[in-house]
Amino acid sequence: MGDFPILLTIVLAPVIGALVILFIPEKDERLIKITAAIATFVSLVLSVYAYLVYDKTAGGFQFTQDFVWVERFGINLSLGVDGMSLPLVLLTAIVIFTGVFASWDMHSRVKEFFIFLLVLVAGVFGVFVSRDLFWFYLFFEVAVLPMYILIGVWGSTRKEYAAMKLTLYLLVGSAFALIGIIALYVYAKAQLGFGTFDIMTLGTVEFDEAFQKFAFFLMMIGFGFLVPMWPLHTWSPDGHVAAPTAVSMLHAGVLMKLGGYGLIRAGVFLFPLGAKYWAPLIAVLCIVNVVYGARVAMVQKDLKFVIGYSSVSHMGYVLLGIASLNYMSLDGAVAQMFAHGIMTALFFALVGNVYHKAHTREIAAFGGLAHQMPRVASGFLIGGLASLGLPGLNNFVAEALIFLGSWQVEKVLFGWLHFRVLSILAIFGVVITAIYVLRVVQRVFFGPRNPKWDHLTDARGVEMVPIVILIGVLVLFGIFPSLLIDTINVGVGPLVAKISAAAEIGGVF
Amino acid sequence: MINLAWLVPVLPAIAFVIIIFLTRRLQMVSALTSILAMAGSFIISLGIVFEVLAGPVTMDNPVELSARWLEVPGSVFIQAGVLIDPLSAVMLFVVTFIALLVMIYSIGYMKGEPGYSTFFAYLSLFSCSMLGLVVSNNYFQIFMFWELVGLCSYLLIGFYYHKDSASQANKKAFITNRYGDFGFMLGMFFLFLLFGTFNFRELAAVIPSYTNEALLTVVALLIFVGPIAKSAQFPLHVWLPDAMEGPTPVSALIHAATMVAAGVYLLARGFVLFESATTALIIIALIGGFSSIFAASIGLVQRDIKRILAFSTMSQLGYMVMAIGLGSITAGMFHLTTHAFFKALLFLGAGSVIHAVHTQDIFEMGGLSKKMKVTTWTFIIGSLALAGIFPLAGFWSKDEILLTAANAGEYFGIPILGPIFLILGLSVAFMTAFYMFRLIFVTFFGEEQPGSHAHESPAVMTVPLIILSVFAIFSGFIGTPFTPNGFAEWVYYGEPHHPHPNYGIMIMSTVVALAGIWLAWLIYGKRAISAEMLANRFSTIHRILYNKYYIDEIYLWLFDRVMLGIADACRWCDRKIVDGIADGFGDGIRAMGARMRFIQTGNMQNYALVIFVAVVIIALVLAVPVLGGI
């Protein structure tokens, strides 16, 4: 494809789609949806293409493009992907493409809905393909704000509260990150003699220890809101529950990953010393995420809340991978972001399907739904199995790598708490996950046929698109994990080299 | 043929995919696809067995093929591999052979069931997972297939998902096994941490020279937690009896002959680790022995035909675990092999009975011997083999285990262990003979139930029974003390130990088995002793046994109180404390705003007053240095 601006097209395709939709009459819902599908399909095809042709032996950022933006401040629109961001671009493309199909049954204010959805996703793509921290931040804000409207207008269950809560939390988080970015800019300018937001250039600067501790803390809190790290997490289950299906899919599937990605890219990569210092804190909090999130999920009554809290629990694994700071664990963290994104999108697509037809998500109201909706039941079971880390599905590989990586850490926190104890607690999370997932599956889908739900129809036609694609991805990367891990290796490798080059310092605990 | 070994698990996987995506509506095509794939695997396995028996492939000189599966440079390298030695060859034969017969039997048994195709798809998926487990060349791979067989077990126990009992049972099975897998995973990670590899042969080369025996013991016991759950050993056995909710062919294949034996297989496969940790071995033997007698005692009083067999399976698995714990993988694997044949036979026989009478309570059956000749006679053969009657298969394998038990004192250097394990083994043999013949006298003899329309099952079901009973009779001869180049020369650890015939033990085991049968006949055949009178006289014991020592009740209580209690506490904390603080923060800001609002009255005079006061204060402050001293 030569000099074709692949990444720019990936970002702009949804925007162009949104612009086209502006000119389509409100009543022509079908055409609007088809336009959205085409726009996201373009992004998907290009993402897959980029994923396949990315040169793993060369590594580094590829498909790069630079546009000077504000020369005085060194702000450029520079695009590029490496082994770490490429899978996440692919993830975003898959989730939004399937999300459009999961919204096929949307009938209120369709036009506005898809416009905001496409703008949102353009922002998410932008974050993952930016090599410039300023644009990274800008795109992030573009991704957050439409969320407020999407939840506030099209949501359910305490939607105003949830929309406000989500937006406030995310903005507070991004404010921390912004302070960090500005501090970083100022510090680097003094060192380099010129101002730049370019991540790779910033990565060459030797930040002193005190500054690293300070800046990493800001990034940790800022992106910690997004991941979400306990106790900054409560916006996420509320947000998940209130959001309409496609938004939940994007939200849990992709938006939370911005946090993990930002924490690695703008945190660990730039401030390896700071990361080493704060890692014990992240490690302790992420165990709370994993165990506590899973426990809370166990006693929820609303299907979406179960999945919402399971996300809190699973993102804890990502944090554990980051906190362990070694090759396997960071590989696992990135892989887990990908895997969890696909899995949770699958869950939300299926729950959306059930909710749309049954108008309730209360677990106790269901039972025996496998009689009426066998395909939905199978899909949900597969999602559940992915969630509990069954081998053969992508999530297992990611979690196994995180566990293996964290198992190698020889740190002792507080002078008595061996890091391996944290790993053991995290691994015990898979038992708790099995309990709540299988309880939900059994209560909702198994048991005698309930005639009350005989009017429900099984997923069919376009409804099957997300189910089939998402399951296919889970299985493909589950059976052949090197397809994913080899790419991630290329991205994580330089990061690990940088971490091991940094001096050993004692952690905060 | 050995080069084709990777095809053995792959063929059923292909069948699974074909059935799920193409032939779901075509029931017979689905069944045939499954069976053809399985036949292919069986033929390859047979070829492998002959090649292994004839050729230079031995326990010390296995064939290994592998491909890269997952790699993190410099950190971990995980293979997808195949390891063929006599141990895996024997297992391949057992699994493919029984799976094939069970599939053929299922054509008849599952006739008319909705989900016929799905059933065969699941059976194929199970076969794939089980065979993948058997050929694994590393711990990571064996763990993956270990979980996948668990999945298939989950799917098949819950095959009748419309029944609440089935959907509870499969959940219980999966979660109980998850506890086991948790331990297994930790142990596996420890192994990787210590030795940097998952590969069995590489580990076997380095483990013996590792000196920290305490740590090895911990690792070995952690890995053993996996088999405790998978092979239904105390205290993680609770799922197996409930697993009988699945269709009977599934019980025969998965919950009797193959999957539950995977734990024993893992112990044999990783024996170098256990052997290096003597304390762990003794604990394994004790848990196996205890489970064995524990389950046998429960089996004495159960009424459900499948549950009796389930407890018998648990008991026999305990036997095998005990044998391996006592240092003889030969004895454990030999009993695994013979047991697979006769226990599959018994379950399929039970299925044939259930198919005919539509109940599982043995006291609602009776007098079936006249109407179901083939089923009756094959069932009796299976029971005799299980009870260990000369010269059937169970006699020889049980004899081998009892020999090992008698030598336990010598093996560990603790003389008292020998008699303990021998007495334990003989008591189990007695109980086994008793509960099996209790079942036979009540079910097949006794009085006919009024209005019974029992009839013999179709040939597609009885032919597998006949084939299996041939194996139940003769398969023991591969490993008798009188067989040259027998089982002990194929499957061994370290050096092959050809057993010397010990007539004392043979006589003792025959006597206790006959005594058990005789007692069952007195009570249930001749009715010289009233069963009810016994139950009343020992009512407390009877109740405890019948309720399985109340283990399930204890676990349920723990789950409801502890697990859900903590979960509720977490939810409360999340809503009231974490969210409370955040919302409180928001409310605080709002309240502050509400207060501040009163300043903005919009009244000119108020603003003027504030400005005036401010000016005065500023003036005073500025004036202080000029006017001096306050």
Side-chain angles (χ1 to χ4, degrees), chain A residues 254-376:
Chain A
V254 187
L255 204 71
M256 292 161 109
K257 278 71 195 175
L258 295 183
Y261 177 72
L263 191 55
I264 296 177
R265 187 69 99 198
V268 179
F269 177 69
L270 293 177
F271 313 116
L273 269 180
K276 285 184 181 175
Y277 181 73
W278 289 109
L281 176 66
I282 301 181
V284 170
L285 291 181
C286 78
I287 297 307
V288 181
N289 262 63
V290 170
V291 178
Y292 169 103
R295 295 278 186 183
V296 180
M298 205 188 275
V299 283
Q300 293 302 317
K301 299 188 172 70
D302 183 312
L303 260 181
K304 263 190 160 181
F305 264 117
V306 176
I307 302 163
Y309 275 103
S310 92
S311 290
V312 173
S313 173
H314 282 103
M315 289 306 284
Y317 290 132
V318 175
L319 288 173
L320 179 64
I322 295 174
S324 305
L325 289 172
N326 60 41
Y327 211 147
M328 282 188 277
S329 76
L330 285 164
D331 257 13
V334 179
Q336 171 77 349
M337 287 198 259
F338 182 88
H340 175 258
I342 299 287
M343 172 207 93
T344 203
L346 173 64
F347 266 140
F348 280 118
L350 292 165
V351 173
N353 197 306
V354 173
Y355 179 61
H356 182 76
K357 292 166 183 167
H359 306 290
T360 179
R361 293 186 304 248
E362 205 192 317
I363 295 169
F366 293 116
L369 225 52
H371 294 275
Q372 291 93 354
M373 309 178 95
R375 288 176 184 161
V376 171

Side-chain angles (χ1 to χ4, degrees), chain B residues 302-348:
Chain B
Q302 298 299 311
R303 301 171 62 99
D304 181 315
I305 185 167
K306 283 179 75 179
R307 286 191 176 232
I308 297 172
L309 292 177
F311 281 107
S312 160
T313 305
M314 176 185 165
S315 168
Q316 297 300 308
L317 289 166
Y319 240 56
M320 300 169 207
V321 170
M322 181 178 87
I324 292 187
L326 297 177
S328 173
I329 71 166
T330 309
M333 287 303 298
F334 185 30
H335 195 57
L336 186 158
T337 309
T338 59
H339 174 259
F341 297 128
F342 57 70
K343 193 49 79 57
L345 166 63
L346 288 172
F347 264 108
L348 294 183

